[in-house]
Amino acid sequence: MSKNGSASFPTGFVWGAASSAYQIEGGWDADGKGPSVWDLYSHDHVPAGWTGLIGGVTTPGNVYMNHTGDTGCDHYHRFREDVGLMKQMGLKAYRFSISWPRVTPTDERGVNTKGLDFYSELVDELLNAGITPYVTLFHWDLPLWAYRRGGWLNREVSDWFAVYAAVVAKRLGDRVSNWMTLNEPHIFLGPGLHEGLQTSNARKGHAERILTAHHALMCHGRGAIELRANAKLPAVVGWAPIGRCKVPATNDPRDVEAAKIATHAVTSKDYWNNAWLGDPVVLGHYPEDGLKLYHDDLKNAGDGGEALRAVNSAADLKLINQKLDFYGINVYDAERIKMGDKGPEKVDFPPGHPQNALRWFVEPDSLYYGPLWLYEKYKVPIYVTENGMTNLDWVDTDGRVRDPQRIDYTRRYLRSLRRAIADGADIRGYFHWSVMDNFEWQCGYRERFGLIHVDYATGERTLKDSAHWYRTVIDANGATI
Ligand code: BGC
């Protein structure tokens, strides 16, 4: 116990930070990398002859001030320096993603060895620094060749993904044992594909939404199989969906019950719930309420019954329902819920409630109820695969980056997480988002989520106060928070 009465986290708790390929690497066409949907979306990087893009239109202004990930944080060239900084921060683990089009740039078959070399060297550098790699296979940068062939709408996407997973597992699986298949299908399918907010202006019907999600889940299943079959070390396989958190508006047991019901329910025709994607992966079937709510749309879709057949296919569900070693959750904010006359109801946050720079509400309770209830339902060990905040940080005249809000935010969220552990949830680790400031998708470099400040003009890195603070947390295994 520390002097303020707070206890340590469990022995062996994994303290880490996270990033993703497109957001930090740069080197968009270095050493044989092929283009991804994000190269297309942010910068019109379409090679000559790549016609026939489905619904993909690039318009200037897709991304804030036309920022692109072309150079990113130049991590592709500066990864040794970055790993050195991670070591200085005392990180025990680092979660990063692999750029699929860096590995298979032109189609599912042609492997770019140089692209794989980069990740292999990164893994070696991490291991030499005593930092355990946690590798995500897919964090949104779909190869353009896959998009052009129908992307998530094409059932073959899971064949392509299987080949990719096998290639990566063969090359890195002698040193990497912790894997995640997909990061947040909720977003790369929702805002990414169907809502026209990222990577595509295609707005699709509901049945198509359901079908793309089904195909993404098949990628998860096929990916898990290939990781286990091809990695030399036993593969510990999880995934990293959004942990869509609903917290009670008050401590009244009826509100607690309402928030719990809402956490597990499918009530709308979008991806903003846990169960539609989580249940097939962990339980091997789609949730009853969702099947009921979506039934008429699927029946009348005019797709020859493809989506309806897919969600009822025992063979597909068996494939999707691979053993899951851990359930990753990305948690930033939450909805407040109370019990209304007709069931759970959303409640607004009060005026003046704390927000991050993107105006997302700060809700530390989300790291209590979110993991606790998901663990209770799925009984799979949990990792917090992302949590953090964007803040208006800059380098002060004395060279320091003071970010007290990030420290306070993280302390509060970690206290909630510790309570969830105390109340029985098997939570194995925490990855702060992000290890460094980076390309925040359609917001470009405007948002700063990092523990490390990046000056994009010079590439200079500066550990923020929060990075120094996080080191003290890690050294004390959380007892200081
Ligand atoms: C994503 C990250 C993103 C972060 C902050 C998550 O949804 O996985 O790529 O930068 O949230 O928006």
Side-chain angles (χ1 to χ4, degrees):
M1 297 283 269
S2 72
K3 58 180 182 313
N4 66 4
S6 50
S8 305
F9 280 65
T11 309
F13 189 80
V14 176
W15 296 98
S19 73
S20 87
Y22 188 75
Q23 292 181 273
I24 67 165
E25 283 178 3
W28 84 272
D29 63 349
D31 299 330
K33 176 184 169 289
S36 78
V37 290
W38 271 95
D39 295 307
L40 167 72
Y41 184 78
S42 72
H43 205 328
D44 214 355
H45 282 317
V46 191
W50 287 62
T51 51
L53 295 163
I54 43 139
V57 207
T58 52
T59 26
N62 275 344
V63 177
Y64 175 75
M65 286 195 173
N66 297 316
H67 296 171
T68 77
D70 285 10
T71 310
C73 306
D74 203 22
H75 176 73
Y76 187 74
H77 298 109
R78 304 178 72 133
F79 70 95
R80 293 188 201 281
E81 174 188 354
D82 291 336
V83 172
L85 293 170
M86 293 176 208
K87 190 173 177 186
Q88 214 178 309
M89 282 161 57
L91 295 188
K92 303 281 184 228
Y94 172 50
R95 173 181 177 230
F96 63 93
S97 79
I98 298 205
S99 159
W100 185 356
R102 215 181 266 297
V103 175
T104 57
T106 49
D107 56 33
E108 71 273 34
R109 285 174 301 272
V111 174
N112 177 31
T113 316
K114 280 195 174 163
L116 279 168
D117 289 348
F118 166 68
Y119 296 108
S120 181
E121 286 169 28
L122 173 60
V123 165
D124 284 343
E125 194 74 12
L126 287 165
L127 293 173
N128 286 337
I131 300 169
T132 307
Y134 280 67
V135 176
T136 308
L137 289 178
F138 182 73
H139 198 129
W140 307 2
D141 44 356
L142 186 72
L144 209 49
W145 59 259
Y147 183 59
R148 197 170 162 237
R149 284 157 66 182
W152 302 106
L153 268 175
N154 187 341
R155 196 178 157 86
E156 285 176 23
V157 70
S158 67
D159 299 330
W160 312 329
F161 191 79
V163 175
Y164 162 61
V167 167
V168 174
K170 275 186 194 136
R171 183 66 196 274
L172 303 182
D174 56 341
R175 288 154 291 155
V176 172
S177 40
N178 297 287
W179 303 90
M180 280 143 282
T181 53
L182 307 178
N183 182 74
E184 293 187 0
H186 302 80
I187 302 289
F188 70 73
L189 298 171
L193 182 64
H194 298 298
E195 285 150 33
L197 299 177
Q198 297 180 350
T199 63
S200 160
N201 291 331
R203 289 166 201 272
K204 312 246 177 236
H206 189 226
E208 286 172 313
R209 280 175 170 263
I210 297 307
L211 199 60
T212 55
H214 188 76
H215 294 157
L217 295 182
M218 286 174 70
C219 288
H220 163 79
R222 301 278 306 269
I225 292 171
E226 296 301 330
L227 287 170
R228 292 197 170 106
N230 291 288
K232 225 181 204 159
L233 298 176
V236 178
V237 182
W239 72 327
I242 277 187
R244 196 67 201 140
C245 298
K246 320 272 172 154
V247 303
T250 73
N251 289 332
D252 183 324
R254 283 172 311 157
D255 290 346
V256 176
E257 185 54 23
K260 191 169 178 174
I261 293 169
T263 294
H264 299 311
V266 179
T267 51
S268 57
K269 295 181 179 180
D270 56 25
Y271 295 112
W272 292 106
N273 67 75
N274 295 301
W276 186 258
L277 299 173
D279 282 13
V281 166
V282 188
L283 307 176
H285 56 76
Y286 284 101
E288 277 304 315
D289 53 355
L291 284 169
K292 238 190 231 154
L293 183 69
Y294 298 170
H295 182 265
D296 289 354
D297 287 350
L298 298 189
K299 207 169 147 222
N300 306 322
D303 63 354
E306 191 182 1
L308 191 57
R309 258 195 318 280
V311 299
N312 288 298
S313 159
D316 285 4
L317 284 158
K318 193 165 169 226
L319 182 78
I320 291 167
N321 178 217
Q322 296 302 313
K323 176 179 184 288
L324 196 71
D325 294 313
F326 66 91
Y327 199 103
I329 52 172
N330 295 350
V331 176
Y332 292 89
D333 54 2
E335 276 175 27
R336 286 191 172 174
I337 306 287
K338 71 169 187 188
M339 188 59 91
D341 295 338
K342 294 188 190 131
E345 272 176 20
K346 193 175 158 192
V347 177
D348 284 340
F349 283 89
H353 189 86
Q355 296 176 324
N356 72 9
L358 269 170
R359 299 293 172 198
W360 300 354
F361 287 111
V362 174
E363 180 52 278
D365 271 0
S366 56
L367 265 200
Y368 173 70
Y369 291 108
L372 186 68
W373 287 340
L374 283 173
Y375 180 70
E376 263 177 35
K377 177 174 176 187
Y378 292 139
K379 313 222 164 19
V380 175
I382 301 239
Y383 278 87
V384 178
T385 34
E386 285 180 28
N387 170 249
M389 68 170 281
T390 164
N391 197 41
L392 303 176
D393 308 317
W394 63 80
V395 183
D396 292 355
T397 47
D398 61 0
R400 243 174 87 182
V401 181
R402 293 172 173 81
D403 57 343
Q405 283 86 359
R406 181 172 290 104
I407 293 174
D408 187 62
Y409 172 104
T410 310
R411 181 189 293 118
R412 288 172 190 266
Y413 275 67
L414 283 173
R415 283 182 181 173
S416 294
L417 192 65
R418 184 169 51 196
R419 271 205 299 139
I421 296 171
D423 287 353
D426 181 356
I427 298 165
R428 304 277 171 95
Y430 171 89
F431 290 85
H432 193 85
W433 184 272
S434 172
V435 70
M436 66 180 87
D437 292 338
N438 60 47
F439 178 86
E440 174 55 26
W441 307 114
Q442 65 273 39
C443 302
Y445 299 102
R446 190 189 67 200
E447 301 304 321
R448 291 189 178 275
F449 271 93
L451 293 163
I452 300 171
H453 181 277
V454 178
D455 179 329
Y456 297 107
T458 62
E460 190 178 346
R461 276 83 162 129
T462 308
L463 295 193
K464 300 180 188 178
D465 280 4
S466 55
H468 296 293
W469 171 82
Y470 193 40
R471 160 137 218 163
T472 65
V473 173
I474 296 172
D475 285 350
N477 197 25
T480 48
I481 58 156

